[in-house]
Amino acid sequence: MSFPISRPRRLRKNEAFRSLVRETRLSPAGFVYPLFVCPGEGVRKEVRSMPGVFNLSVDEAVKEAQEVKSLGIPSVILFGLPESKDEQATGAWAEDGIVQQAARVIKREVPGLLLMGDVCLCEYMSHGHCGIVQKTATNRSVGAASTAQMSGVDEYEILNDESLDILAKTAVSQARAGMDIIAPSDMMDGRVAAIRDALDDEGFENIPILAYAAKFASGFYGPFREAADSAPAFGDRRSYQMDGANLREAMIEIELDLEEGADMIMVKPAMPYLDVISEARRRYDVPLAAYQVSGEYAMIKAAAQNNWIDHDRVMLESLQSIQRAGASIILTYFAKDVAKILG
């Protein structure tokens, strides 16, 4: 035969055909929308580098949560901007912490919306790191040497085991406040086991853990650090977040978190690590999440504002790529926009 029998274009000739045979279907039911909660009342402050994303006081966060639920999005993840910071991340685990306050009110005012609590310390530490810092040259903690003294100092260590107790206390305080899912994002070794034990000891054995299992030290986090006021005062986070070159190590991290009791796993960021998502989906039969992070969002927004790309088309394409790679849950700042398009 002079011409191939197979003509794939037969199924592409109009939108009805394309929709009928589409392999990847986005749905708001798989989205989680991030919220940044801050002190005050009536506060709705747009994040400069993230158009459409706001720092919200609790009352405004409730309104946002109500809209999220009305759009068919099942969950929000809460990040907090405390009134003050210290070297023990007190605001992270305080019973009246900003995230705990927001969780209680949203749980009451927006029943049925799943609340996810990000368990990390960077937003609450005066130095902006995700664990307790020790100055290695003199073997003193930052509690003894102030953050100002530490600035510019390269000889420091993020203490792993000493940070676990604070992370566990934070998880328990969030569970008491009404969080439905605990999501540790700190990348300390052993944190999932420590959190699982603490939750079980306090009677929260039915609260699942979504572990940021493969969280990479990425340049795509910049806008988030503005939104959450969480940039490190010195150094960077490469000693505990993953090296972006390592896929096999990511599988080890995921395996360890599952062994320690994680119910769900996450890869962060999403688009630069689609291969990691795909490999995780191939290996592990558990719910798999991916975080389309602030830098991914900001790039699309900035390019669209300059009329360099079609905003909605690229937004949808980016999310389809994440789902196609294997993620069944996507944390994304585009959740509301996409839900409105999908109807």
Side-chain angles (χ1 to χ4, degrees):
M1 186 173 293
S2 60
F3 195 84
I5 295 174
S6 177
R7 290 179 180 260
R9 286 185 58 190
R10 289 174 182 145
L11 301 181
R12 302 177 196 152
K13 61 185 179 182
N14 59 44
E15 179 55 27
F17 274 100
R18 292 190 294 271
S19 178
L20 180 67
V21 301
R22 189 161 290 141
E23 299 172 21
T24 304
R25 298 181 183 274
L26 289 173
S27 167
F31 293 155
V32 177
Y33 187 61
L35 293 179
F36 297 95
V37 188
C38 65
E41 187 174 348
V43 178
R44 187 177 179 85
K45 178 185 176 184
E46 189 169 39
V47 179
R48 181 185 56 83
S49 57
M50 299 176 70
V53 175
F54 300 85
N55 292 147
L56 303 165
S57 54
V58 172
D59 56 318
E60 291 293 325
V62 169
K63 296 176 186 176
E64 198 82 353
Q66 289 169 334
E67 182 185 11
V68 166
K69 187 182 178 187
S70 73
L71 290 169
I73 300 163
S75 180
V76 296
I77 184 167
L78 300 182
F79 299 95
L81 288 83
E83 290 192 32
S84 62
K85 305 185 181 194
D86 56 34
E87 285 77 38
Q88 294 295 317
T90 305
W93 47 271
E95 293 301 313
D96 62 347
I98 188 63
V99 161
Q100 288 80 355
Q101 293 178 42
R104 290 188 180 97
V105 178
I106 293 173
K107 179 63 69 174
R108 183 181 69 242
E109 299 295 329
V110 196
L113 184 68
L114 287 174
L115 299 187
M116 188 179 294
D118 177 81
V119 173
C120 196
L121 308 179
C122 58
E123 298 117 290
Y124 307 93
M125 288 286 198
S126 55
H127 47 67
H129 280 286
C130 302
I132 294 173
V133 172
Q134 179 172 278
K135 185 177 180 181
T136 57
T138 58
N139 198 34
R140 292 189 301 166
S141 71
V142 174
S146 70
T147 300
Q149 290 173 308
M150 286 289 294
S151 61
V153 174
D154 293 326
E155 299 300 322
Y156 65 91
E157 180 183 358
I158 311 302
L159 299 180
N160 190 96
D161 296 5
E162 291 82 348
S163 301
L164 298 183
D165 180 59
I166 300 178
L167 292 164
K169 287 197 297 185
T170 299
V172 169
S173 73
Q174 290 188 0
R176 287 197 185 112
M179 293 295 186
D180 299 292
I181 299 167
I182 296 298
S185 64
D186 55 283
M187 289 301 288
M188 297 296 115
D189 294 339
R191 85 291 176 87
V192 172
I195 289 171
R196 183 73 274 161
D197 288 345
L199 289 172
D200 291 354
D201 288 346
E202 294 295 325
F204 297 113
E205 62 275 1
N206 290 324
I207 291 185
I209 295 174
L210 167 59
Y212 288 66
K215 180 179 179 180
F216 292 87
S218 173
F220 285 88
Y221 300 148
F224 175 95
R225 291 172 182 173
E226 178 192 349
D229 188 25
S230 63
F234 51 86
D236 56 40
R237 296 175 179 155
R238 298 185 195 191
S239 69
Y240 45 102
Q241 294 179 357
M242 281 195 59
D243 187 332
N246 297 352
L247 185 147
R248 292 190 295 274
E249 184 187 6
M251 297 304 108
I252 293 172
E253 287 279 11
I254 290 171
E255 185 75 29
L256 288 170
D257 281 2
L258 290 172
E259 288 175 356
E260 291 178 19
D263 302 279
M264 302 175 279
I265 55 176
M266 187 194 302
V267 175
K268 179 184 179 182
M271 283 186 66
Y273 298 94
L274 294 176
D275 59 326
V276 179
I277 298 170
S278 178
E279 184 65 13
R281 179 70 293 152
R282 188 182 70 81
R283 293 196 189 198
Y284 303 108
D285 292 325
V286 297
L288 173 59
Y291 199 144
Q292 185 183 47
V293 299
S294 59
E296 299 173 66
Y297 174 88
M299 287 192 304
I300 292 173
K301 285 291 186 181
Q305 286 180 344
N306 282 283
N307 295 315
W308 295 336
I309 60 172
D310 181 322
H311 176 276
D312 290 355
R313 182 174 180 177
V314 172
M315 172 183 66
L316 291 168
E317 189 174 344
S318 70
L319 291 165
Q320 284 172 344
S321 75
I322 297 165
Q323 188 177 31
R324 190 179 65 247
S328 55
I329 302 165
I330 304 176
L331 288 75
T332 175
Y333 304 95
F334 285 123
K336 293 195 305 177
D337 291 343
V338 177
K340 291 171 184 176
I341 291 173
L342 298 177

